[in-house]
């Protein structure tokens, strides 16, 4: 009876763990930019400590300027005030870097025990810290992303060769892209992974940072400065997996449980197989949740971009209303044309044109006849012309005779 009760409890814990592993929680106070506008009070950010060296990060409605484009040698830092109590988490960080072709600077994403151990430092100027640092900068002439770990014993500032301490890296051209870069950092019970713009930068199953740390962002510019801007930082935790680990530890140390483990029965074997299957389902579901989170973030960004593009919404609505009125007028005219019979009107128009044509022909015929009948005869003109010519000829002959009969004068 006791064995059956223990087996039932084990199955119940496994089912509860599989259900809880699906749940995720956004750490609102450790996030910003998750809405449409940046929520800030004055030059502060709720849940965050804002600091700088030579420049205090500037809060805008849609982003935070960590280092200005001019002048250089400035530092800015944002540190979350709440610790992350869970061991499995996911961070989405959108940033942008603008600068000259040979400008210098770096930006870090921190997950450390104490924010005071880092302050506004970069990976090159920080001393001893306990936790994780993801650095985006240019080193050795190549722009990229690197990961660093420290257990609080290594002094990075005095190490002399910080680049050799990186446990993972990838090349990434982050400067002057004209859009925010999307950095994601994931830690689960299976592996640690860093992604940039949806592509894996590096991942490893050998890295695991214990819970109880805080997130932070620091940026530093050089003499020829980079301007770093933070658009969004969303920290998501998976508290169900912590409960699953704690309950496993409790079940292992529960009194009387060791006796059953020494002599496994067929029922225990079936329960163990069920637990393994549930664990596999839980792992697959966690991967699916991570992909859904990434897809949701991408969809939100696309939606914001579409909203910005459709800024003249009133004008579009007015044009749409006008088009609708034109469509209604065209439909009304079409219905009127299709609903009436114009055959009678066309017949009347044809008769009217025929009558007008006939009347015009008759009128032209009568007018031409009158004109022809009223015109003088051509014979009269011909006789008149001949008579005039004869008179002229007679006059000329008479003139010649008289001239010939006149006496001649001699000098």
């Amino acid at each position: 009876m006791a064995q059956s009760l223990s087996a039932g409890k084990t199955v119940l814990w496994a089912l509860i763990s599989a259900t809880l592993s699906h749940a995720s929680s956004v750490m609102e106070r450790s996030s910003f930019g998750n809405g449409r506008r940046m929520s800030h009070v004055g030059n502060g950010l709720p849940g965050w400590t804002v600091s700088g060296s030579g420049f205090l990060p500037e809060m805008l409605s849609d982003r935070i300027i960590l280092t200005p484009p001019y002048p250089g040698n400035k530092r800015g830092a944002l540190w979350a005030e709440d610790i992350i109590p869970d061991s499995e988490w996911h961070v989405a960080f959108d940033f942008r870097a603008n600068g000259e072709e040979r400008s210098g600077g770096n930006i870090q994403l921190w997950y450390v025990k104490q924010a005071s151990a880092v302050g506004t430092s970069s990976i090159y100027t920080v001393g001893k810290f306990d936790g994780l640092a993801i650095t985006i900068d240019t080193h050795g002439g190549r722009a990229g992303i690197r990961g660093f770990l420290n257990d609080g014993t290594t002094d990075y500032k005095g190490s002399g060769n910080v680049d050799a301490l990186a446990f993972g890296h990838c090349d990434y051209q982050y400067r002057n892209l004209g859009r925010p870069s999307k950095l994601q950092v994931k830690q689960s019970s299976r592996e640690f992974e860093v992604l940039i713009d949806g592509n894996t930068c590096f991942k490893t199953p050998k890295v695991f940072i214990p819970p109880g740390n805080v997130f932070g962002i620091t940026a530093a510019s050089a003499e020829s400065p980079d301007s770093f801007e933070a658009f969004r930082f969303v920290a998501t935790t998976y508290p169900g997996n912590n409960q699953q680990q704690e309950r496993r530890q409790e079940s292992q140390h529960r009194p009387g449980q060791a006796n059953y483990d020494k002599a496994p029965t067929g029922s225990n074997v079936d329960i163990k197989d069920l637990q393994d299957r549930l664990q596999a389902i839980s792992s697959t579901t966690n991967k699916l949740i991570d992909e859904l989170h990434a897809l949701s973030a991408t969809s939100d960004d696309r939606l914001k971009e579409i909203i910005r593009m459709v800024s003249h919404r009133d004008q579009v609505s007015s044009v749409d209303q006008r088009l609708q009125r034109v469509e209604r007028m065209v439909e009304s005219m079409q219905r009127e044309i299709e609903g009436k019979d114009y055959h009678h009107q066309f017949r009347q128009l044809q008769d009217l044109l025929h009558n007008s044509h006939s009347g015009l022909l008759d009128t032209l015929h009568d007018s031409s006849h009158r004109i022809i009948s009223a015109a003088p005869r051509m014979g009269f003109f011909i006789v008149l012309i001949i008579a005039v010519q004869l008179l002229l000829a007679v006059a000329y002959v008479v003139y010649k005779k008289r001239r010939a009969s006149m006496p001649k004068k001699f000098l």
Side-chain angles (χ1 to χ4, degrees), residues 7 16 94 107 201 216 299 313 325 343 385:
I16 294 175
D94 296 355
I107 184 170
C201 177
S299 300
R313 183 172 50 188
R325 287 199 296 269
H343 182 72
I385 292 171

Side-chain angles (χ1 to χ4, degrees), residues 109-171:
L109 170 62
W110 302 89
Y111 183 60
V112 296
K113 285 289 183 183
Q114 294 181 347
S116 59
V118 179
T120 60
S121 301
S122 67
I123 195 64
Y124 299 101
T125 60
V126 69
K128 297 179 180 180
F129 68 94
D130 186 1
L132 166 74
I134 303 296
T135 300
I136 300 99
D137 67 348
T138 301
H139 63 284
R142 302 172 65 180
I145 303 172
R146 294 177 294 168
F148 297 89
L149 291 173
N150 195 357
D151 58 359
T153 59
T154 303
D155 186 357
Y156 270 58
K157 185 177 181 180
S159 65
N161 188 9
V162 174
D163 297 338
L165 301 177
F167 70 89
H169 67 89
C170 69
D171 295 336

Side-chain angles (χ1 to χ4, degrees), residues 8 31 57 68 74 80 107 183 204 209 236 244 312 345 391 411:
S31 304
K74 305 298 180 184
I107 184 170
L183 177 69
T204 174
I209 299 96
T236 305
Q244 182 178 1
H312 303 291
Q345 284 80 356
L391 288 175
L411 297 178

